[in-house]
């Protein structure tokens, strides 16, 4: 992981935060038992934890660390930190640094008493204690705040994020378009860790990156969510959980509809199941058309229920298998061919007006024969082009759509 | 030599060249001679001369300036009645050339308009009736709302007989100096189902295959130029290859951009040929009717037709057991 590989080893390597680093060093120098703890605060991914780690490394201190992923009830905190804050390092000579990460992540019930334990540690510790938080003004922290020196870590400016990304690219031998790096930085709004993660995701196994790659990243995130939702819709026995599955998907229900429609045939194998599932979708579609034609958005709730719960209840038994889900062909087709279809339509219109009919008639009644002749006679395509004032591109377009 | 599409090249330009439809032509001729035509509604099967008659009327009324005095719009291409109304408004504002009192608006495939759009059209017809005459064209007059029907002279075009189609084929054969065997003519008559446009297209495509057109050439064109996608789709669904069937459907609707209604109609024609219990056929027809109704009410033709194919697959699964 690049976030680990490129973690700063020394304070000077931490990007920006000059003021914060200075304050922190001064606090550490002046710290005496019973003194204030340091509360480092600021948005995620801007170097709070890294700074503490680099500090410990640089000062030769053992870092005792607990973070939000540990349960921090009073009892656990006491057990983990309680003794060590009073004893010298096991190795004897080295000092210690206590880091309690993400204190605003304490949960009211599970971390019951956590605040009390932290307060006691700050008061009684024989070693300096550092806390981190995204939001130091969190209600639960007001007592802790009083015992802390507050040190702000600011968002990392975009140009510095970009610089860091460039450095990583150089070290990894990856060629990345500056626009892409800039876009990654913007997307992450001062979150350097997030930016590095994104860069690594995009660069996975590749040496050349273009701005279009960012789009793939957004989609990839979205797609994991939709895959999860599809799995639930298809596998769930409960209608309600099928219905709720799509609430996490950041996608318009109309688009989710096509994801379900595309993949239901990959999942359901019994023809009766599939027929029932499609009927549920077709009925959902009826509600969709009512939304559009009567602007009755209340109907969306029923459309969503039918396409999720309705499809989930169409199966007799869940299928025990892994299904690979895919992007709906319809969406793929429309996004891939947007420009071409517009050009195609213009060409068809020109033909239609010459033949005094609709483009629909051109498609069903004329094109099949004209293209057949073009296949049989060498110069027919050119004649066709000149007869209808079509460019070569338009002729090619027509034959590619109607092959 | 540049290419001409025979269906267009041999489209009649004068009233007396129109194939059959004598009852319609006779009445229209009276209007034209008095140079006073009412709003008209032409209803009838495809390829029987409806659009042609409208164009003929314009030629008879305006002579060389007919193109400037006719507005051709097509309801299946103009999205929404507003577009049509805008076009008609602009067109009606300018005076007819050549001293005529009114100009002609042809609204083709008028049955593609929803009932609401037709209501709006009705007001448009009234607003501009002093400067514009409307000719509405459709396959089924029943799809036109009564208020519009009552404001128009309704003309029903007959399905054409074998002799009618033969007459049209002979015109082209003579005009193009074609060699064609009698069996080939019969094949075209059989395949075109009274649709002169299709007859001309079949003939022209077959002529590309050789100096003398034979029956087998005609059939080759018919099967090659219009590969029977619908049939293959139904067979796949029936055999339980739903995804293959769906792929064919997607190609027709997406890349070929065919209208869902056209696909429905073709399915309807072919259901009885499927190897299914008779009762299942009837049930499928009923289901198909339901899907077509939904599509006509604005539902999405792709999902509705996929649902139909899934039903067919379920019936097929039972029948094949």
């Amino acid at each position: 992981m690049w976030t680990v590989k490129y973690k700063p080893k020394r304070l000077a390597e931490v990007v920006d935060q000059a003021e914060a680093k200075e304050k922190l060093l001064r606090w550490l120098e002046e710290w005496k038992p019973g003194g204030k703890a340091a509360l480092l605060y600021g948005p995620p991914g801007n170097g709070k934890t890294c700074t503490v780690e680099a500090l410990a490394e640089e000062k030769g201190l053992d870092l005792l660390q607990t973070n939000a992923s540990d349960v921090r009830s009073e009892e656990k905190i006491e057990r983990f930190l309680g003794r060590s804050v009073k004893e010298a390092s096991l190795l004897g000579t080295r000092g210690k640094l206590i880091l309690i990460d993400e204190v605003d992540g304490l949960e009211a019930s599970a971390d019951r008493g956590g605040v009390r334990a932290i307060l006691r540690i700050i008061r009684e510790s024989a070693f300096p204690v550092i806390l981190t938080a995204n939001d130091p003004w969190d209600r639960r922290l007001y007592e802790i705040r009083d015992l802390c020196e507050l040190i702000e870590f600011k968002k990392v400016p975009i140009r510095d994020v970009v610089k860091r990304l460039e450095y990583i690219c150089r070290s990894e031998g990856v060629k990345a378009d500056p626009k892409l790096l800039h876009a990654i930085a913007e997307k992450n709004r001062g979150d350097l860790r997030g930016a590095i993660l994104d860069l690594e995701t995009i660069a996975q196994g590749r040496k050349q990156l273009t701005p279009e790659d960012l789009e793939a990243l957004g989609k990839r995130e979205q797609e994991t969510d939709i895959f999860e939702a599809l799995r639930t819709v298809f596998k769930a026995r409960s209608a309600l959980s099928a219905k709720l599955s799509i609430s996490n998907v950041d996608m318009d229900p109309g688009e989710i509809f096509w994801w379900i429609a595309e993949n239901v045939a990959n999942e359901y194998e019994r023809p009766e199941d599939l027929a029932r599932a499609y009927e549920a979708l077709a009925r959902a579609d009826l509600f969709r058309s009512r939304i559009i034609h009567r602007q009755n958005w209340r109907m969306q709730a029923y459309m969503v229920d039918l396409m999720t719960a309705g499809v989930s209840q169409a199966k007799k038994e869940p299928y025990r298998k892994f299904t690979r889900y895919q992007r709906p062909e319809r969406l793929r087709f429309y996004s891939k061919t947007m420009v071409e279809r517009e050009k195609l339509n213009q060409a068809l219109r020109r033909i239609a007006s010459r033949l005094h009919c609709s483009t629909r008639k051109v498609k069903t009644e004329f094109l099949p024969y004209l293209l057949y002749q073009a296949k049989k006679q060498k110069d027919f395509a050119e004649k066709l082009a000149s007869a209808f004032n079509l460019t070569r591109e338009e002729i090619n377009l027509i034959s590619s759509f109607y092959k | 030599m540049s290419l001409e599409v025979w269906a267009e090249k041999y489209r009649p330009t004068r009233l007396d060249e129109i194939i059959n439809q004598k009852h319609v032509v006779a009445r229209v001729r009276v209007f034209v001679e008095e140079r006073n035509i009412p709003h008209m509604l032409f209803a009838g099967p495809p390829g029987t001369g409806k659009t042609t008659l409208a164009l003929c009327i314009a030629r008879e009324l305006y002579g060389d300036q007919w193109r400037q005095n006719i507005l051709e719009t097509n309801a299946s291409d103009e999205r929404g009645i507003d577009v049509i109304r805008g076009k008609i408004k602009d067109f009606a504002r300018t005076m007819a050339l050549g001293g005529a009192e009114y100009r002609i608006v042809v609204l083709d495939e008028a049955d593609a308009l929803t009932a609401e759009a037709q209501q709006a059209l009705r007001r448009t017809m009234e607003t501009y009736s002093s400067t514009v005459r409307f000719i509405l064209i459709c396959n089924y007059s029943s799809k036109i709302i009564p208020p519009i029907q009552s404001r128009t002279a309704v003309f029903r075009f007959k399905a054409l007989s074998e002799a009618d189609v033969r007459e049209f084929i002979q015109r082209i054969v003579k005009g193009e100096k074609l060699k064609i065997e009698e069996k080939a003519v019969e094949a075209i008559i059989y395949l075109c189902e009274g649709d002169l446009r299709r007859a001309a297209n079949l003939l022209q495509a077959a002529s590309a295959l050789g100096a003398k057109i034979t029956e087998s050439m005609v059939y080759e064109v018919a099967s090659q130029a219009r590969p029977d996608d619908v049939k293959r789709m139904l067979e796949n669904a029936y055999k339980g290859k739903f995804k293959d069937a769906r792929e064919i459907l997607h190609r027709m609707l997406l890349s070929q951009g065919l209208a869902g209604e056209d696909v429905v109609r073709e399915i309807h024609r072919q259901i009885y040929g499927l190897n299914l219990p008779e009762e299942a056929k009837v049930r499928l027809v009923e289901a198909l009717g339901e899907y077509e109704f939904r599509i006509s009410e604005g539902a999405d033709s792709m999902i509705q037709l996929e649902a139909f194919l899934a039903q067919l697959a379920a019936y097929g699964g039972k029948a094949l057991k």
Side-chain angles (χ1 to χ4, degrees):
Chain A
M1 284 242 305
W2 289 356
T3 45
V4 175
K5 186 171 173 188
Y6 292 97
K7 208 178 237 188
K9 308 247 166 2
R10 317 188 58 78
L11 273 183
E13 288 171 24
V14 173
V15 176
D16 280 305
Q17 316 298 3
E19 202 180 319
K21 284 187 271 188
E22 209 187 299
K23 260 181 132 176
L24 184 64
L25 276 171
R26 203 179 324 129
W27 165 82
L28 185 64
E29 270 167 32
E30 292 170 1
W31 189 84
K32 286 194 254 348
K36 280 190 170 179
L39 172 56
L40 316 188
Y41 70 93
N46 61 357
K48 296 180 293 295
T49 309
C50 287
T51 301
V52 178
E53 286 168 355
L55 179 70
E57 182 78 30
E58 212 168 301
K59 298 282 169 191
L61 303 169
D62 282 338
L63 188 64
L64 280 174
Q65 190 173 354
T66 166
N67 66 33
S69 53
D70 311 320
V71 178
R72 289 179 296 188
S73 65
E74 186 168 12
E75 191 198 337
K76 292 247 171 79
I77 289 177
E78 284 287 338
R79 199 186 311 150
F80 182 65
L81 292 175
R83 245 181 334 156
S84 33
V85 294
K86 287 168 198 148
E87 291 166 5
S89 178
L90 285 176
L91 293 169
T93 50
R94 277 160 73 109
K96 288 189 211 170
L97 193 57
I98 317 284
L99 172 61
I100 307 174
D101 225 347
E102 302 168 32
V103 282
D104 47 354
L106 289 171
E107 270 182 48
S109 59
D111 300 336
R112 203 175 324 119
V115 169
R116 214 177 322 147
I118 290 171
L119 286 173
R120 193 156 64 238
I121 285 168
I122 293 175
R123 286 197 191 100
E124 299 172 4
S125 176
F127 305 101
V129 177
I130 301 178
L131 318 174
T132 72
N134 294 135
D135 176 14
W137 314 114
D138 190 292
R139 269 188 310 117
R140 281 163 300 181
L141 298 184
Y142 75 98
E143 283 176 290
I144 293 178
R145 215 164 37 228
D146 286 346
L147 294 181
C148 289
E149 169 136 0
L150 266 57
I151 299 175
E152 184 187 6
F153 276 64
K154 298 204 170 83
K155 283 183 184 173
V156 184
I158 287 181
R159 60 166 199 284
D160 292 330
V161 175
V162 172
K163 257 194 237 157
R164 188 69 182 160
L165 297 181
E166 279 169 351
Y167 168 77
I168 295 175
C169 285
R170 267 200 308 279
S171 314
E172 294 289 329
V174 171
K175 273 213 173 112
D177 189 301
K179 273 193 211 128
L180 172 73
L181 298 184
H182 202 86
I184 294 176
E186 291 234 298
K187 172 174 174 269
N188 283 285
R189 299 159 185 273
D191 176 353
L192 181 58
R193 178 178 49 207
I196 295 173
L197 263 173
D198 277 355
L199 179 67
E200 187 179 10
T201 314
I202 293 173
Q204 208 92 64
R206 303 171 52 209
K207 291 287 165 207
Q208 191 94 34
L209 310 178
T210 64
E212 287 73 46
D213 291 321
L214 189 67
E215 234 167 89
L217 180 74
K219 275 191 191 124
R220 208 170 306 153
E221 281 170 4
Q222 224 182 21
E223 286 187 1
T224 32
D225 291 346
I226 185 75
F227 289 163
E228 202 47 54
L230 288 175
R231 205 158 293 129
T232 310
V233 167
F234 294 145
K235 308 275 189 201
R237 286 176 195 272
S238 133
L240 182 64
S241 52
K243 169 192 159 88
L244 295 178
S245 70
I246 68 161
S247 54
N248 285 330
V249 183
D250 180 22
M251 218 185 251
D252 177 68
E255 195 179 339
I256 299 175
F257 178 90
W258 289 110
W259 278 88
I260 295 172
E262 175 78 26
N263 289 294
V264 67
N266 297 334
E267 178 83 20
Y268 289 4
E269 286 161 6
R270 288 179 287 269
E272 294 79 16
D273 287 359
L274 194 58
R276 277 192 296 266
Y278 259 112
E279 184 52 21
L281 285 168
R283 284 174 188 273
D285 176 55
L286 279 185
F287 283 106
R288 187 197 52 82
S289 86
R290 286 171 189 155
I291 300 168
I292 292 172
H293 291 283
R294 307 195 193 276
Q295 287 298 304
N296 186 349
W297 287 91
R298 174 78 194 112
M299 293 298 112
Q300 179 148 313
Y302 300 104
M303 168 190 158
V304 167
D305 283 21
L306 278 167
M307 74 193 209
T308 54
V311 168
S312 84
Q313 296 310 303
K315 58 183 181 286
K316 270 212 181 84
E317 275 292 309
Y319 293 85
R320 290 171 198 280
K321 60 170 185 175
F322 174 77
T323 311
R324 196 169 294 285
Y325 301 129
Q326 63 201 41
R327 200 167 137 69
E329 193 194 335
R330 180 180 169 117
L331 304 180
R332 227 162 36 203
F333 176 83
Y334 282 141
S335 65
K336 207 175 60 189
T337 59
M338 201 147 63
V339 180
E340 281 100 328
R341 274 182 299 123
E342 185 50 43
K343 283 186 190 155
L344 177 73
N345 252 333
Q346 282 175 9
L348 291 177
R349 287 225 173 194
R350 219 169 312 142
I351 299 175
S353 91
R354 286 289 179 85
L355 296 174
H356 303 284
C357 67
S358 60
T359 55
R360 179 174 164 186
K361 280 262 159 65
V362 171
K363 290 179 214 165
T364 57
E365 296 301 321
F366 287 99
L367 281 185
Y369 300 106
L370 292 175
L371 292 172
Y372 176 76
Q373 271 170 279
K375 237 188 285 170
K376 295 287 167 189
Q377 288 180 331
K378 255 201 203 142
D379 50 349
F380 191 85
E382 263 139 49
K383 283 188 189 167
L384 191 65
S386 78
F388 290 104
N389 236 336
L390 302 168
T391 63
R392 173 159 292 279
E393 189 198 359
E394 285 171 323
I395 287 277
N396 289 341
L397 209 53
I398 291 173
S399 47
S400 78
F401 271 79
Y402 295 93
K403 61 174 176 256
Chain B
M1 214 198 79
S2 102
L3 166 84
E4 282 183 274
V5 176
W6 292 353
E8 197 54 41
K9 184 177 178 183
Y10 291 92
R11 187 195 283 281
T13 55
R14 296 202 322 271
L15 288 178
D16 53 16
E17 287 171 3
I18 289 178
I19 301 276
N20 204 327
Q21 313 300 356
K22 295 195 175 62
H23 58 301
V24 175
V25 173
R27 280 172 66 201
V28 166
R29 192 187 301 282
V30 177
F31 292 132
V32 168
E33 277 165 5
E34 292 175 358
R35 305 195 67 74
N36 186 19
I37 63 165
H39 295 319
M40 292 187 274
L41 175 62
F42 294 170
T48 53
K50 301 180 296 296
T51 307
T52 298
L53 180 58
L55 298 177
C56 284
I57 292 171
R59 285 174 194 270
E60 300 266 349
L61 288 175
Y62 309 115
D64 290 343
Q65 287 167 321
W66 71 277
R67 281 179 196 279
Q68 288 82 38
N69 287 308
I70 188 168
L71 173 69
E72 286 181 80
T73 60
N74 201 300
S76 90
D77 275 335
E78 312 290 354
R79 277 174 240 125
I81 188 70
D82 290 338
V83 180
I84 294 176
R85 202 157 27 187
K87 268 186 157 185
I88 292 172
K89 208 166 144 188
D90 291 342
F91 178 73
R93 271 209 207 105
T94 46
M95 285 296 295
L97 291 165
E101 285 171 34
Y102 51 81
R103 309 169 91 189
I104 294 176
V105 171
V106 177
L107 181 53
D108 218 334
E109 299 188 35
D111 37 9
L113 294 174
T114 61
E116 291 83 13
Q118 290 188 37
Q119 289 291 354
L121 175 66
R122 169 189 157 189
R123 280 194 292 280
T124 308
M125 287 173 72
E126 279 160 0
T127 313
Y128 299 105
S129 64
S130 59
T131 50
V132 164
R133 293 290 180 277
F134 282 84
I135 300 178
L136 307 185
I137 297 176
C138 63
N139 291 136
Y140 304 101
S141 64
S142 56
K143 285 199 181 167
I144 304 297
I145 58 172
I148 287 185
Q149 290 204 39
S150 80
R151 282 168 175 76
T152 54
V154 180
F155 295 91
R156 288 179 206 290
F157 283 60
K158 287 195 304 189
L160 294 173
S161 69
E162 287 186 14
D164 295 330
V165 178
R166 183 183 294 274
E167 186 188 339
F168 186 60
I169 294 172
Q170 290 308 339
R171 261 188 221 173
I172 301 177
V173 167
K174 229 169 121 187
E176 298 294 322
K177 301 190 176 62
L178 299 174
K179 293 196 182 72
I180 182 169
E181 58 174 45
E182 169 57 19
K183 287 255 177 164
V185 176
E186 282 167 18
I188 294 174
I189 293 172
Y190 169 73
L191 288 167
C192 80
E193 299 175 331
D195 181 341
L196 297 182
R197 180 192 290 122
R198 193 173 285 181
N201 286 336
L202 266 170
L203 186 58
Q204 187 167 18
S207 77
L209 295 182
K212 182 168 187 186
I213 301 168
T214 64
E215 182 186 17
S216 68
M217 288 177 187
V218 173
Y219 278 107
E220 195 196 315
V221 169
S223 64
Q224 296 290 313
R226 309 172 62 93
D228 209 335
D229 284 340
V230 170
K231 190 171 175 198
R232 283 197 303 120
M233 174 179 81
L234 295 178
E235 278 169 2
N236 273 315
Y238 173 72
K239 288 183 198 146
K241 294 185 199 156
F242 175 79
K243 281 201 259 180
D244 293 343
R246 186 171 73 168
E247 200 185 310
I248 298 174
L249 178 69
H250 284 185
R251 198 179 58 227
M252 287 193 285
L253 295 181
L254 292 176
S255 96
Q256 305 186 353
L258 298 183
E261 278 102 331
D262 290 341
V263 178
V264 168
R265 217 157 290 148
E266 192 55 34
I267 293 175
H268 192 182
R269 275 164 33 121
Q270 299 203 11
I271 279 184
Y272 291 96
L274 292 170
N275 186 18
L276 280 170
E278 298 302 305
E279 193 205 340
K281 292 176 188 171
V282 177
R283 292 239 207 90
L284 276 170
V285 167
E286 189 192 348
L288 185 66
E290 173 66 23
Y291 293 125
E292 177 170 2
F293 177 68
R294 293 177 186 176
I295 293 170
S296 72
E297 296 277 295
D300 186 277
S301 44
M302 184 182 290
I303 200 72
Q304 300 296 336
L305 282 170
E306 285 177 18
F308 174 80
L309 293 178
Q311 293 228 2
L312 174 58
Y315 278 113
K318 270 182 220 145
L320 292 174
K321 251 175 211 164

